[in-house]
Amino acid sequence: MKKMILWLMLALAFFGCKEKEVSHSGTEECPEVPAVNAEATGEADPIASSQAIACGTIRLWGSSMPKSFNMWQDYNSFSVGIISLMFEPLVTLHSTEDREVGLLAESWEISPDSMTFTFHIDPRARWSDGKPVTAEDVQFYYDVIMEPKNLTPIFKVGLSRFHRPEVIDSLTVSIQAKEVHWGNFWEAAGITAFPKHVWKDKDFNTVRYEFPVVNGPYQIKNFREDRFLELSRRADWWGFQKKWNQGKYNFNTIRYRFMEDRIKTLEAFKKQELDAYPVYTSSLWMKQTDFPAVQKGYAVKRQIFNKEPIGFQGLALNLRRETFQDIRVRRALAMLLNRALINEKYMFNQYFLLNSYYPDLWENNQNPHAPLIAFNPDSARILLAEAGYVPDAEGRLMKNGKPFSVTFITAADDTRHLTLYQEDLKRVGIEAKIDLMSQSTLRKRLDDADYDIYWINWGASRLRDPEASWHSSTALAKGTNNITGLQDRMVDSLIEIQKTEFDLAKRNEILRRLDDRLIELMPYILLWQSDRHRILYWNRFGTPEFIYDKFNREESIPVYWWYDKPQAETLQKAMAKDESLPVPPLDIHYR
């Protein structure tokens, strides 16, 4: 009997913990027409559709689980996306124009000298527990970020330009800058509110996965570490009283599934365990995305060309290491990376090779002052010899009795690109190791600047402020974006000049000069980049005209897409009868 009871307890524990999958049968309960708030105020978002219906679930890929959803401590694309659904800033950029739109702030004023910014919080703004959002909550955000013990170095850089915000009244906060900077308004506008009544006695460094009180359209519903995250839509969210949010945030549930392996993720998509899958692996896109469901129009395959600013990716060289402080060594390492072969062999020439840190500031994404570095082992050997590296009897490069040895740190399962590079380094006598580790361990190593070489892909923003990434003052900070530890007086000078330039065209010209200098310094071995977004999704969703919005990628999905019940029913019937649906065009160009 005891064994039977024990077996039943184990069985209940197993089945009780089993992850519940959400399926789409085309029968989800949805309103017949979009909900319209006749009392909503303000302007509408031109990307949002007036046909969007609020209902249903969408299941998305969460990639590998970050060490925290707290983006202020662990700044990664997934956490940024999650936080943006739970917290709103005071003001944001318009979705299609370079101007401001109020979110938490109803209105604002800028002093004549552009040094003081006064924000008036929308009196309708509420926390998810019903308490009003106040000016003290905005001030509390500043206090939390700037608290020395809190691990928020990236955000301290911008906020350090301001005095502590002054509470004028319960809904008015004034923020005064310490120095002139074109980005002061946007830095201040990007401040959100933190729930002081909840967090005032809490150690912010322990806030990782729990955010019980939020002011945005979603909140965490369910979370299983390394398994999934579910967000639930707040039907009572105060923001739905603004026309800007009508037709947006339409899914009742957003479910993110954590999976590191991209091939397994594609298989999960094919099994309809995921509803959308942004594809970042060229070999998958070219060889494994024309399966029967795509050919029959059940799943949609799209390439989207829009106006998203293009960042860069490269192999970050830790300039704090003596090995990398010689520019000849850095140039030699770049010459030993066969980018053209990698692009052809592994990526089907789907990418363009980088010669810029700000590629979209140049025509055709190419800096005309910087030749593309080609694979050239002979020239690399000459540079290494000039730097004092001499081969020993076994062909190993030596200097001062020590071998030339480097280690790549990575959390990626796919190390083909690094392995090919490793082999070419070995041929000239450089010992290269690949240290595969967990995402959390890798993050700590980067925070501690304990690495030789790290492959990273940086995004770009519509408002480019290079200070956090390149200024010498950020080089030694723990958790800095200046992960290479670059320190250069000319770079600092250009950044200082750029700070006081309010004309966007002139700022971009300064950035081009900065780009030229960075190319000379070579803190990264630049890799390649894409000028398009690739995605697969099941044909049961309504989308904006150009799938994503003007300046973004898949983070647009939980904001603008919706579950289209009639389309879902059409899909379900077609699949049941094995009948094809019309196949949409592959390429979408934002006009």
Side-chain angles (χ1 to χ4, degrees):
M1 176 62 75
K2 288 182 179 180
K3 288 184 178 180
M4 178 63 72
I5 293 174
L6 177 61
W7 184 89
L8 286 171
M9 290 174 64
L10 290 171
L12 287 170
F14 174 80
F15 289 109
C17 293
K18 189 175 180 181
E19 182 178 339
K20 183 180 179 182
E21 285 289 349
V22 180
S23 62
H24 289 292
S25 62
T27 59
E28 295 210 36
E29 293 298 324
C30 295
E32 292 297 322
V33 296
V36 177
N37 185 344
E39 298 180 357
T41 60
E43 64 177 309
D45 185 338
I47 299 294
S49 172
S50 60
Q51 304 303 310
I53 302 285
C55 72
T57 296
I58 191 164
R59 302 159 304 170
L60 302 172
W61 178 38
S63 191
S64 56
M65 195 191 82
K67 72 174 184 180
S68 173
F69 298 152
N70 185 341
M71 77 166 195
W72 295 280
Q73 294 182 32
D74 183 19
Y75 194 77
N76 62 83
S77 59
F78 181 79
S79 295
V80 169
I82 296 302
I83 290 296
S84 71
L85 294 171
M86 296 194 296
F87 291 88
E88 284 201 310
L90 292 166
V91 177
T92 191
L93 267 170
H94 191 276
S95 58
T96 62
E97 304 171 22
D98 291 332
R99 62 180 177 87
E100 316 89 58
V101 173
L103 296 180
L104 278 179
E106 180 182 48
S107 60
W108 53 91
E109 295 97 35
I110 303 174
S111 65
D113 62 359
S114 298
M115 293 288 283
T116 303
F117 312 95
T118 303
F119 297 93
H120 305 278
I121 297 171
D122 193 317
R124 299 169 296 184
R126 292 290 184 273
W127 293 104
S128 54
D129 62 2
K131 294 186 179 297
V133 177
T134 69
E136 282 197 9
D137 293 325
V138 175
Q139 183 189 64
F140 181 62
Y141 171 90
Y142 178 94
D143 293 342
V144 169
I145 298 300
M146 296 306 293
E147 167 59 47
K149 72 177 182 180
N150 288 341
L151 303 177
T152 54
I154 296 173
F155 293 87
K156 283 182 169 71
V157 172
L159 283 187
S160 66
R161 301 201 300 260
F162 296 89
H163 297 287
R164 185 175 186 242
E166 179 185 357
V167 174
I168 306 300
D169 58 44
S170 64
L171 294 177
T172 308
V173 60
S174 178
I175 305 171
Q176 183 178 11
K178 300 175 183 177
E179 60 186 58
V180 177
H181 193 297
W182 68 265
N184 280 343
F185 170 76
W186 290 109
E187 187 70 40
I191 292 175
T192 186
F194 278 166
K196 185 175 181 179
H197 63 288
V198 176
W199 281 354
K200 62 181 179 180
D201 298 320
K202 193 171 184 64
D203 180 358
F204 189 68
N205 292 326
T206 67
V207 176
R208 297 175 63 210
Y209 300 117
E210 295 183 3
F211 298 86
V213 176
V214 298
N215 61 36
Y218 284 90
Q219 61 189 37
I220 293 176
K221 174 183 178 182
N222 198 5
F223 167 59
R224 290 281 300 278
E225 192 166 349
D226 293 322
R227 298 282 294 280
F228 66 89
L229 167 69
E230 284 185 351
L231 301 179
S232 61
R233 181 177 185 267
R234 296 178 53 216
D236 61 348
W237 179 45
W238 75 272
F240 289 129
Q241 300 175 62
K242 305 178 74 167
K243 289 182 181 178
W244 186 256
N245 294 316
Q246 292 195 353
K248 296 163 65 174
Y249 310 112
N250 302 302
F251 296 106
N252 288 338
T253 301
I254 305 170
R255 181 185 176 91
Y256 295 94
R257 181 172 173 180
F258 299 119
M259 299 180 72
E260 291 191 22
D261 189 295
R262 297 185 181 190
I263 296 176
K264 291 181 180 177
T265 302
L266 177 58
E267 292 306 311
F269 174 83
K270 291 179 180 180
K271 296 174 183 176
Q272 298 194 68
E273 294 172 2
L274 295 173
D275 293 312
Y277 177 39
V279 181
Y280 288 101
T281 305
S282 295
S283 58
L284 291 182
W285 182 256
M286 297 297 291
K287 298 169 66 176
Q288 299 188 43
T289 56
D290 288 319
F291 47 92
V294 171
Q295 295 171 353
K296 293 182 177 181
Y298 303 160
V300 180
K301 177 179 178 179
R302 284 280 171 75
Q303 286 190 140
I304 302 160
F305 299 81
N306 64 5
K307 306 300 182 182
E308 184 195 30
I310 299 175
F312 74 92
Q313 63 177 322
L315 298 174
L317 303 172
N318 188 350
L319 303 183
R320 307 167 189 87
R321 299 275 204 258
E322 183 179 355
T323 302
F324 303 125
Q325 290 173 7
D326 192 320
I327 184 60
R328 293 168 297 187
V329 171
R330 303 200 292 273
R331 287 176 179 160
L333 290 173
M335 290 177 177
L336 292 169
L337 178 64
N338 197 338
R339 295 189 297 170
L341 177 62
I342 292 173
N343 192 22
E344 177 184 355
K345 184 175 182 179
Y346 297 137
M347 301 181 296
F348 299 86
N349 290 317
Q350 289 280 294
Y351 292 76
F352 64 88
L353 302 184
L354 284 166
N355 71 340
S356 170
Y357 294 84
Y358 297 95
D360 62 323
L361 290 184
W362 305 97
E363 188 176 355
N364 297 323
N365 298 316
Q366 295 291 306
N367 182 338
H369 309 139
L372 282 172
I373 296 178
F375 180 62
N376 193 332
D378 292 337
S379 295
R381 286 188 176 94
I382 293 171
L383 286 172
L384 291 168
E386 291 176 358
Y389 289 94
V390 180
D392 65 8
E394 298 177 0
R396 297 180 303 170
L397 287 182
M398 307 289 290
K399 183 178 180 179
N400 299 327
K402 297 180 180 178
F404 192 161
S405 177
V406 297
T407 300
F408 302 96
I409 63 169
T410 182
D413 291 330
D414 185 0
T415 60
R416 294 172 301 163
H417 312 73
L418 290 179
T419 299
L420 192 150
Y421 187 30
Q422 179 186 38
E423 293 169 354
D424 284 326
L425 292 173
K426 183 178 180 180
R427 289 188 182 97
V428 300
I430 299 174
E431 180 186 21
K433 302 174 184 176
I434 299 173
D435 191 355
L436 186 63
M437 60 190 65
S438 69
Q439 192 69 40
S440 58
T441 300
L442 183 142
R443 187 69 251 176
K444 185 177 188 307
R445 292 279 294 273
L446 290 174
D447 288 347
D448 295 338
D450 181 18
Y451 78 99
D452 290 340
I453 304 178
Y454 171 60
W455 181 349
I456 189 168
N457 190 356
W458 291 105
S461 65
R462 293 166 63 185
L463 299 172
R464 297 174 171 90
D465 185 351
E467 184 175 6
S469 297
W470 303 117
H471 200 280
S472 296
S473 62
T474 67
L476 302 180
K478 186 180 179 66
T480 178
N481 268 13
N482 186 357
I483 64 172
T484 65
L486 178 72
Q487 298 183 67
D488 181 73
R489 282 181 293 182
M490 184 180 293
V491 167
D492 293 347
S493 175
L494 289 168
I495 291 173
E496 293 301 324
I497 294 171
Q498 201 246 17
K499 285 182 179 181
T500 58
E501 180 54 69
F502 284 78
D503 184 278
L504 177 60
K506 292 180 180 178
R507 285 205 307 274
N508 284 342
E509 183 55 40
I510 295 169
L511 286 178
R512 293 186 187 97
R513 291 165 57 194
L514 174 62
D515 192 39
D516 289 342
R517 181 58 177 165
L518 292 172
I519 291 296
E520 290 178 13
L521 296 172
M522 201 173 291
Y524 286 78
I525 300 171
L526 290 175
L527 298 176
W528 41 78
Q529 197 55 282
S530 175
D531 61 354
R532 69 201 67 186
H533 309 299
R534 299 170 298 204
I535 188 169
L536 298 168
Y537 58 93
W538 287 94
N539 198 357
R540 57 172 66 95
F541 299 100
T543 73
E545 181 181 1
F546 303 108
I547 313 304
Y548 292 161
D549 69 16
K550 183 177 181 179
F551 295 108
N552 287 304
R553 53 180 66 191
E554 65 269 12
E555 59 264 30
S556 301
I557 295 174
V559 178
Y560 293 109
W561 289 24
W562 68 95
Y563 179 79
D564 188 328
K565 185 177 180 181
Q567 181 63 32
E569 291 174 343
T570 298
L571 171 64
Q572 195 72 16
K573 291 175 183 177
M575 294 179 69
K577 297 179 179 180
D578 195 25
E579 296 176 348
S580 294
L581 295 173
V583 176
L586 174 65
D587 292 343
I588 296 290
H589 293 266
Y590 190 95
R591 298 188 299 275

